[in-house]
Amino acid sequence: GAGVSQTPSNKVTEKGKYVELRCDPISGHTALYWYRQSLGQGPEFLIYFQGTGAADDSGLPNDRFFAVRPEGSVSTLKIQRTERGDSAVYLCASSSRLAGHMIFGPGTRLTVL
Amino acid sequence: DAKTTQPTSMDCAEGRAANLPCNHSTISGNEYVYWYRQIHSQGPQYIIHGLKNNETNEMASLIITEDRKSSTLILPHATLRDTAVYYCIVRALNTGTASKLTFGTGTRLQVTL
């Protein structure tokens, strides 16, 4: 497709479990971003990649959160030992050097019971 | 990135122009003004951005004051589908396209019949 896609669209898990959230950016976009959004708040930056490397991971809240982008396209956000406070919508975005502006995916709604 | 100040909410009648203000009094010379919007349950959508000149595209117009300390997003003929949260963000681009956006809480625009 032409847009950023994220899977799954919804994920329900239990406290303490491990989850992986996937982002497929627009083909050819070199930069990829992860955000999370709690109810009533604006999106909060987590991490971004330029190519395969994490250029800025200052928004990751703690070491339970990790993200990879091994081939410079698809990215996976990994959350270990999930907590109820991790419940949020996780948004992915990508951008190209030409356009500059970020295009967001629809998000993954994570619910930790 | 510099902070922005926006009204929490605004109403607009359908068919009228919606003028959404934003203050960014601490903006730096290399920072652009970006506008995104987020319709309920969707990812943020890019609208427009500018540095110091006014900009117009198929979605909206962006008016930036001469001192760059404030701007106004104009939706010339608002429709019910424009009901959303609108985010004004300043973003430095001196490092290329891969720089994060820092979202605030935005302005909730309600378009009414």
Side-chain angles (χ1 to χ4, degrees):
Chain A
V4 176
S5 62
Q6 294 185 245
T7 53
S9 55
N10 280 284
K11 176 70 177 179
V12 180
T13 191
E14 294 179 342
K15 181 176 177 296
K17 299 290 189 183
Y18 168 83
V19 296
E20 290 189 351
L21 311 179
R22 175 186 168 110
C23 173
D24 284 78
I26 292 172
S27 177
H29 278 193
T30 55
L32 184 146
Y33 310 77
W34 283 99
Y35 284 76
R36 73 175 175 180
Q37 187 170 25
S38 300
L39 195 62
Q41 302 296 313
E44 172 193 17
F45 171 76
L46 295 177
I47 184 172
Y48 85 79
F49 292 86
Q50 182 64 44
T52 61
D56 182 351
D57 65 357
S58 62
L60 295 177
N62 52 58
D63 61 5
R64 296 187 297 105
F65 288 74
F66 189 71
V68 296
R69 195 186 185 200
E71 297 178 359
S73 56
V74 171
S75 176
T76 305
L77 178 66
K78 308 180 182 194
I79 310 174
Q80 298 178 320
R81 305 183 303 282
T82 52
E83 300 177 357
R84 292 194 180 89
D86 300 334
S87 295
V89 175
Y90 289 80
L91 295 160
C92 176
S94 67
S95 68
S96 72
R97 185 164 299 277
L98 263 178
H101 58 268
M102 295 157 59
I103 298 173
F104 283 81
T108 293
R109 181 176 298 278
L110 175 67
T111 303
V112 182
L113 301 176
Chain B
D1 291 343
K3 289 186 176 179
T4 62
T5 304
Q6 299 178 252
T8 304
S9 63
M10 293 182 65
D11 291 334
C12 179
E14 189 176 35
R16 305 298 288 259
N19 297 291
L20 290 88
C22 179
N23 287 323
H24 31 79
S25 59
T26 60
I27 192 170
S28 299
N30 67 337
E31 288 178 319
Y32 286 70
V33 180
Y34 276 75
W35 284 84
Y36 278 74
R37 74 180 182 183
Q38 189 170 25
I39 294 168
H40 183 61
S41 297
Q42 297 182 21
Q45 176 190 22
Y46 167 81
I47 302 172
I48 199 167
H49 74 283
L51 183 62
K52 54 184 177 180
N53 297 321
N54 297 338
E55 303 288 344
T56 295
N57 62 21
E58 65 279 3
M59 289 183 70
S61 294
L62 174 60
I63 308 298
I64 304 174
T65 58
E66 193 170 341
D67 63 7
R68 301 208 324 122
K69 293 186 177 182
S70 65
S71 61
T72 301
L73 179 75
I74 301 172
L75 307 178
H77 304 287
T79 72
L80 296 177
R81 288 178 295 180
D82 293 321
T83 293
V85 178
Y86 287 77
Y87 296 99
C88 169
I89 304 160
V90 293
R91 179 195 191 199
L93 282 183
N94 56 334
T95 54
T97 60
S99 61
K100 63 191 181 190
L101 293 170
T102 302
F103 289 82
T105 52
T107 295
R108 183 171 299 278
L109 176 69
Q110 180 68 53
V111 180
T112 57
L113 290 170

